[in-house]
Amino acid sequence: MAVLPIHITGNPVLHARASEVTEFDAGLATLVADMYETMAAAPGVGLAAPQLGVPLRLFVFNWTDDDEKLWRGVAINPELWISPTPTGEADEESESEGCLSIPGERFPLRRAELAILRGVDLDRQPFEIKAEGWLARIFQHEFDHLDGVLYVDRLEHKHARTAAKTIRKNGWGVPDLSWTPGVDDLEA
Ligand code: ZN
């Protein structure tokens, strides 16, 4: 297992639709192990393969809810159903979201309260998780990565402007930047 560099916004792999996984081989198992390790080192609660430069439809997640229940797994070739996204302004305190590909920044974004994630694991076993609250948010965020969508692409206008400025100020938004947890001094 290894901690791998995480690509920063601007890298084309983060802005394109990823392909279905077709080979459930040792290479895929190694990728998933590296994804767990990189997510833990960051640290983060989710990580999608395109963030490591791999244009495949899978993500890992690791989240402990308010009842101390651990939600941890890999979703390969997932489908996501979500409830309607609430209208109105996102709350800065309770709805601010971050992304390891835009490290150290957070912006408020409305998300659907409920999500149903369906996918398969490394053994091609299908599973389904009914999620609410922050877990549902994680699934929406990671699923978006597989379609080349970053959360900053979904922000309300005023936050989108701030995010664009921040990305420019950091020198991001170019094709070839990455950071490695534990190596580069960046807090996600
Ligand atoms: Zn992200």
Side-chain angles (χ1 to χ4, degrees):
M1 292 201 298
V3 174
L4 299 178
I6 300 173
H7 290 287
I8 287 174
T9 180
N11 192 305
V13 72
L14 291 172
H15 307 284
R17 189 185 185 277
S19 305
E20 309 289 327
V21 173
T22 55
E23 304 288 326
F24 287 72
D25 54 10
L28 184 68
T30 301
L31 172 64
V32 170
D34 290 346
M35 287 171 69
Y36 278 122
E37 181 126 338
T38 304
M39 174 174 62
V45 294
L47 185 71
Q51 294 181 275
L52 300 184
V54 179
L56 291 175
R57 300 185 73 79
L58 71 153
F59 65 79
V60 293
F61 54 94
N62 187 78
W63 166 251
T64 304
D65 69 19
D66 290 342
D67 298 323
E68 300 292 312
K69 180 172 168 58
L70 174 65
W71 299 89
R72 179 180 169 88
V74 57
I76 301 172
N77 297 336
E79 294 169 30
L80 191 71
W81 173 90
I82 59 171
S83 58
T85 305
T87 52
E89 282 205 13
D91 182 67
E92 303 249 357
E93 292 282 309
S94 62
E95 297 181 270
S96 276
E97 192 167 314
C99 178
L100 297 174
S101 292
I102 308 165
E105 308 296 338
R106 292 174 75 78
F107 296 98
L109 174 64
R110 301 238 93 175
R111 290 287 196 184
E113 177 64 19
L114 302 173
I116 299 175
L117 175 71
R118 292 195 188 96
V120 299
D121 64 16
L122 270 174
D123 301 317
R124 294 194 200 215
Q125 290 304 305
F127 69 88
E128 176 180 304
I129 297 174
K130 291 189 177 68
E132 55 184 296
W134 206 264
L135 185 64
R137 179 181 291 270
I138 293 167
F139 289 165
Q140 289 166 77
H141 180 114
E142 300 309 330
F143 188 82
D144 269 353
H145 272 301
L146 308 184
D147 288 332
V149 175
L150 300 185
Y151 84 103
V152 291
D153 299 330
R154 294 190 178 276
L155 299 176
E156 296 161 41
H157 184 64
K158 65 173 178 181
H159 298 304
R161 279 179 47 189
T162 312
K165 262 187 220 158
T166 304
I167 287 166
R168 243 191 340 265
K169 200 179 71 203
N170 282 302
W172 301 336
V174 294
D176 51 358
L177 293 180
S178 63
W179 70 284
T180 305
V183 175
D184 296 308
D185 188 21
L186 272 175
E187 267 183 39

